[in-house]
């Protein structure tokens, strides 16, 4: 079974766990948090088990660090919704592993009695193709948002939008690897070691 939880990426001279938003999580928080190898310049990634992170925490983290941050909401290591936020409140989002995301986001018809039977039908496959096309149509804008966010983070990047779009359309067994690759592609300084294999 894959990882489900959040990958939090932000910049601070202090450990991200010192942020006030983690203060009320209790003394057992260390069991629910894994730190990835930090990137140069104070960029840190925390891997948080489900239940530690709330949607409003991203704004609190950006305010505490004074720098843009992003979070990937990961489901079973196969899908992630990445949300980035700048200090001026500009927000962007992008799905990773679009095929899996399309299957997750397909809406069931109201007349379906047994979902387990519906997912074996040609209608289900067509619904996935339609949802995948919808998500694919958003990739260009998603890539633009990611580049604006990285620029606001002060990354001196020569990132090409076409390469970001290709990555957003890519497939990986572990979506955590796609998230790490996205940060690399956006121009954030790379770690000396790769992120943990999950």
């Amino acid at each position: 079974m894959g990882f489900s939880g959040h990958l939090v990426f932000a910049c601070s001279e202090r450990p991200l766990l010192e942020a006030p938003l983690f203060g009320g999580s209790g003394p057992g928080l260390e069991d629910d948090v894994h730190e990835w190898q930090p990137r140069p310049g104070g960029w840190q990634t925390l891997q948080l088990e489900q239940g530690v992170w709330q949607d409003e925490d991203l704004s609190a983290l950006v305010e505490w660090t004074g720098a843009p941050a992003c979070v990937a909401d990961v489901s079973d290591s196969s899908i992630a919704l990445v949300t980035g936020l700048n200090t001026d409140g500009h927000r962007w989002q992008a799905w990773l592993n679009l095929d899996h995301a399309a299957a997750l986001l397909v809406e069931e018809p109201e007349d379906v009695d047994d979902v387990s039977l519906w997912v074996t039908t040609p209608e289900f496959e067509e619904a996935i193709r339609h949802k995948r096309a919808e998500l694919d149509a958003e990739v260009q804008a998603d890539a633009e948002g990611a580049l604006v966010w990285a620029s606001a983070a002060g990354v001196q990047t020569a990132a090409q939008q076409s390469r970001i779009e290709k990555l957003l359309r890519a497939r990986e067994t572990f979506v955590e690897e796609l998230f790490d690759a996205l940060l690399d592609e956006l121009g954030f300084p790379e770690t000396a070691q790769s992120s943990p294999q999950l």
Side-chain angles (χ1 to χ4, degrees):
M1 188 170 171
F3 166 73
S4 291
H6 293 85
L7 302 175
V8 179
F9 181 70
C11 185
S12 176
E13 294 179 359
R14 297 159 60 186
L16 291 183
L17 283 174
E18 292 183 8
L21 64 99
F22 294 116
S25 301
L29 183 63
E30 57 271 7
D31 296 333
D32 298 322
V33 177
H34 304 281
E35 296 177 287
W36 284 13
Q37 185 74 19
R39 293 170 179 257
W43 290 100
Q44 305 169 53
T45 303
L46 296 180
Q47 180 178 316
L48 308 173
E49 298 294 334
Q50 270 186 326
V52 177
W53 185 263
Q54 305 298 325
D55 289 342
E56 62 272 14
D57 289 342
L58 185 57
S59 296
L61 186 61
V62 168
E63 184 176 344
W64 184 74
T65 62
C70 74
V71 59
D73 186 352
V74 179
S75 177
D76 200 23
S77 287
S78 60
I79 309 164
L81 177 61
V82 181
T83 303
L85 183 65
N86 290 345
T87 54
D88 63 2
H90 176 78
R91 181 181 293 260
W92 65 276
Q93 288 189 313
W95 287 97
L96 300 179
N97 266 354
L98 293 187
D99 291 339
H100 292 299
L104 175 76
L105 297 171
V106 163
E107 296 181 15
E108 304 163 19
E110 292 182 7
D111 59 350
V112 169
D113 293 325
D114 189 339
V115 175
S116 64
L117 294 178
W118 182 61
V119 298
T120 63
T121 65
E123 289 80 11
F124 177 71
E125 293 300 321
E126 179 58 32
I128 287 180
R129 278 193 293 275
H130 182 72
K131 179 57 72 173
R132 175 68 168 78
E134 285 182 12
L135 294 175
D136 192 79
E138 297 171 3
V139 164
Q140 181 178 349
D142 294 345
E144 288 173 0
L147 286 167
V148 169
W149 173 80
S151 177
V155 176
Q156 299 301 316
T157 177
Q160 298 176 2
Q161 183 166 327
S162 61
R163 291 176 59 91
I164 302 297
E165 291 178 19
K166 182 178 179 182
L167 191 144
L168 293 178
R169 291 184 172 105
R171 302 175 192 173
E172 284 288 347
T173 303
F174 295 100
V175 76
E176 296 92 331
E177 294 178 4
L178 271 180
F179 178 69
D180 210 33
L182 176 62
L183 297 175
D184 290 346
E185 197 65 57
L186 286 170
F188 289 93
E190 297 187 24
T191 59
Q193 301 173 1
S194 60
S195 61
Q197 178 72 41
L198 303 170

